[in-house]
Amino acid sequence: MELLSRTPPGWARLAALRFDEVLVDHAHCEKKAAANALSMLAAFPDVPGLPRAMARLAREEAGHLAQVLHLLERRGLRLGRDPGDPYAQALQTQVRQPRAERLLDRLLVAALIELRSQERLALLAEHLVEPDLRDFYVRLATAEAGHGELFWKLAVKVSPEEAPHRGAQLATAEARLVERLPLRAAIH
């Protein structure tokens, strides 16, 4: 699975200029990624391989959250309330409700979110001045790519015939969404 559009060029400049806002948003993203993995485990405990994969992913995402929270503290920032993510919220509206379709769609939407996160974290790394922050974001971008691949592989495993077609539909919707949403000092 791959993204069908690129992040608009102005996003990386905005994100680097308003990095503290992006950092707070990033912490919320990591928190939601860990929660999503646990939610998937709770909703689909009978899908072979999914519970263990989601438990490992939740642990890894929680570790990323702890690292981002450490950066927040070092910079004297507070996490505060999560204002929500219009990008992720809009993608979630694409999820169909019958159980089998919901499982496939949740896996594919999660793959797209992880791939977009990977792209943006890599772009952010290129625009950061501090070497330790650049290195941190390069490492996280690599992890996000792996998470996207995990969700895609699970989607293909649960629905080998439908996953490519539905993945293409959702990737098209995601690309349109990225074009339509205003740029924000946020990961998405």
Side-chain angles (χ1 to χ4, degrees):
M1 175 170 246
E2 61 184 52
L3 299 175
L4 300 181
S5 69
R6 297 274 172 236
T7 289
W11 178 84
R13 287 188 299 278
L14 174 69
L17 283 172
R18 294 169 53 190
F19 179 68
D20 285 353
E21 291 172 59
V22 172
L23 192 59
V24 170
D25 177 73
H26 184 193
H28 285 295
C29 288
E30 296 292 355
K31 173 189 70 182
K32 288 181 277 197
N36 182 59
L38 292 174
S39 171
M40 294 284 292
L41 189 160
F44 305 103
D46 55 333
V47 175
L50 188 137
R52 204 167 114 216
M54 291 300 104
R56 280 194 315 265
L57 181 60
R59 184 176 57 239
E60 186 175 337
E61 298 286 20
H64 294 164
L65 171 60
Q67 293 173 316
V68 176
L69 289 172
H70 178 74
L71 286 175
L72 283 178
E73 290 171 5
R74 259 188 22 206
R75 297 173 80 89
L77 302 171
R78 291 185 183 194
L79 181 59
R81 285 209 169 290
D82 183 359
D85 182 345
Y87 166 83
Q89 291 166 353
L91 276 179
Q92 295 299 335
T93 67
Q94 301 291 315
V95 174
R96 298 169 294 176
Q97 289 312 306
R99 188 177 192 275
E101 288 87 355
R102 187 172 70 245
L103 170 59
L104 177 62
D105 287 0
R106 284 189 66 185
L107 291 167
L108 293 170
V109 163
L112 287 165
I113 290 171
E114 296 286 355
L115 291 172
R116 184 63 65 188
S117 297
Q118 181 272 326
E119 179 209 28
R120 293 208 171 169
L121 295 180
L123 283 171
L124 182 58
E126 291 173 13
H127 286 79
L128 292 172
V129 176
E130 299 171 48
D132 62 327
L133 285 177
R134 272 198 317 266
D135 293 344
F136 176 66
Y137 276 96
V138 166
R139 284 193 311 275
L140 286 185
T142 301
E144 298 298 300
H147 301 164
E149 184 177 326
L150 169 66
F151 281 115
W152 170 247
K153 284 181 178 177
L154 287 168
V156 169
K157 184 176 179 182
V158 301
S159 187
E161 292 87 31
E162 191 181 1
H165 174 69
R166 184 62 178 156
Q169 288 177 328
L170 290 171
T172 299
E174 192 272 350
R176 278 194 230 117
L177 181 61
V178 168
E179 291 170 7
R180 183 175 90 234
L181 287 173
L183 294 182
R184 300 180 329 126
I187 298 299
H188 304 119

